[in-house]
Structure formats: structure tokens, C-alpha cells
Amino acid sequence: DVKVTQSSRYLVKRTGEKVFLECVQDMDHENMFWYRQDPGLGLRLIYFSYDVKMKEKGDIPEGYSVSREKKERFSLILESASTNQTSMYLCASSYPGLAQTGELFFGEGSRLTVL
Amino acid sequence: QKEVEQNSGPLSVPEGAIASLNCTYSDRVSQSFFWYRQYSGKSPELIMSIYSNGDKEDGRFTAQLNKASQYVSLLIRDSQPSDSATYLCAVTGRDDKIIFGKGTRLHILP
């Protein structure tokens, strides 16, 4: 069964802390994505990656960075957490190709609270 | 700015009736279209994808695409209380970027 696993379901961090959100997929997908979801704002793309060592900025990359050292793992890093980064973070993966790219498999989400 | 628009709802539909969810998109060259279902507190899951004009049926779900009108819809027949969720429309264009609408909340009335 297809699986995208996010390391932490709930995190509470303090302003200024460095935060790592880990995502692992077992489907051999090339594409991986990080979104955040906020009430009234929908899903917003932070970063994505179409291959190992490759990363592209999404719509709201400010304050975030990513790492993809292995095909199955895509990490989201908040260098210095701020209260406006309190959100639900969703990792997703998909196969490459025009049709398949949008067929996303999501992890369960990581709810981050920054105090 | 490429956009995907959905009515936020809530859309209330009696159990057993047809629920009709609509989505419009601004980028005329969009190629692939998707419907995701998201239960409260859960992550989205893909329920339908459609790539060419016309209808595509899968069980109680039918996706409809009209590229000339830049319009995608999802019909849910014989609606069940378990269909109560937020439905997200998503569109990809030539650059493979996936754009999500903000979702329509559907409430099936028992």
C-alpha cells in the first residue's frame, strides 16, 4: 500500500528555534512536495523537488528551506521559526509526467505551533 | 496569476440526492484536472482525475470537464453522510505546477 510518512504529527516550538519536518515515501516517486494549509487560504506550495538533490521554490518559500539527499526523503527546514509559521504542513509525492504529477499522495500532516 | 476558483460552501445536500461541485480555472492551457476529498482533520486524498473533455465515471462519482468554458465539476450520486467533507479541485498546466482551489465544504443531510 502506498505510504507517505511524516515524522511528527504534532510539534510545539518556540520563536527562533530551528525546526525539521521529515517526510519519507515508499513508492519510488520522483516528485515530492511540501505544502502548508491554513483556514481560508487553502493549500499553498512551499517547495518541491523532481529529483534527488534538486529543489524548486513554490509560491511561499520565504522562511523555509528543503533538503533532498535521497529519493525517498524530503525534509522541510524552518531556520528560525516564527509565529506566522504556525500551520498544518503536508508532504506529498507523485510520479513524473504531465498527468501523473498532479496525482498526489499525501502524508498525514504535521501540525506545527510556534509560541 | 493562475487561479482555481471554488465556492467555499457549505453545500448542503439531502442523503440520496446528487451533489454537484463546481470549479473554474483561469489558465487556458491547463492540461490535467483532479478532485481531492479531505475529511476534517485528515489530509487530502485523490478521488478523480480527468484529462480530456467530457465525462469520466467511477462508481458514484462523475467528473466533467469543459475546456472551452474552463470548467470542471464533480457529481456525487446517491450522496451518503460519509461523503461529507471538503472537496478540493486541482489543476496542472504546461509547467507541471499544481494549483489547488480553496475547496468546497459538502454536508450531506441524513
Side-chain angles (χ1 to χ4, degrees), chain B residues 11-56:
Chain B
L11 175 65
S12 295
V13 174
E15 184 175 354
I18 296 174
S20 178
L21 302 160
N22 304 314
C23 170
T24 59
Y25 58 95
S26 62
D27 187 0
R28 187 166 288 280
V29 300
S30 296
Q31 307 261 356
S32 307
F33 308 86
F34 308 89
W35 284 100
Y36 287 81
R37 178 177 62 200
Q38 186 174 22
Y39 291 116
S40 180
K42 302 292 187 181
S43 55
E45 60 176 327
L46 179 68
I47 54 172
M48 290 287 285
S49 54
I50 186 166
Y51 308 108
S52 55
N53 277 330
D55 294 1
K56 179 181 177 183

Side-chain angles (χ1 to χ4, degrees), chain A residues 37 98-99 102-104 106-107, chain B residues 32 34 36 38 43-44 51 96 98:
Chain A
Q37 188 172 35
L98 193 58
E103 295 181 357
L104 300 174
F106 283 89
Chain B
S32 307
F34 308 89
Y36 287 81
Q38 186 174 22
S43 55
Y51 308 108
D96 275 3
I98 308 156

Side-chain angles (χ1 to χ4, degrees), chain A residues 17-33:
Chain A
E17 279 192 80
K18 191 168 186 175
V19 182
F20 293 88
L21 299 178
E22 304 282 340
C23 176
V24 177
Q25 50 95 4
D26 66 0
M27 296 161 285
D28 203 34
H29 284 165
E30 280 79 0
N31 302 338
M32 295 190 76
F33 307 83

Side-chain angles (χ1 to χ4, degrees), chain A residues 16-71:
Chain A
E17 279 192 80
K18 191 168 186 175
V19 182
F20 293 88
L21 299 178
E22 304 282 340
C23 176
V24 177
Q25 50 95 4
D26 66 0
M27 296 161 285
D28 203 34
H29 284 165
E30 280 79 0
N31 302 338
M32 295 190 76
F33 307 83
W34 274 106
Y35 290 89
R36 63 178 283 179
Q37 188 172 35
D38 301 285
L41 297 177
L43 278 164
R44 293 182 290 168
L45 181 63
I46 305 171
Y47 267 96
F48 61 101
S49 169
Y50 288 159
D51 202 351
V52 177
K53 305 273 187 184
M54 177 268 184
K55 60 185 178 184
E56 293 280 349
K57 293 180 180 179
D59 299 318
I60 52 163
E62 297 78 19
Y64 303 95
S65 62
V66 290
S67 171
R68 192 162 182 204
E69 296 295 318
K70 294 185 177 181
K71 188 177 185 179

Side-chain angles (χ1 to χ4, degrees), chain B residues 4 6 16 25 40 68 84:
Chain B
V4 176
Q6 296 181 255
Y25 58 95
S40 180
S84 295

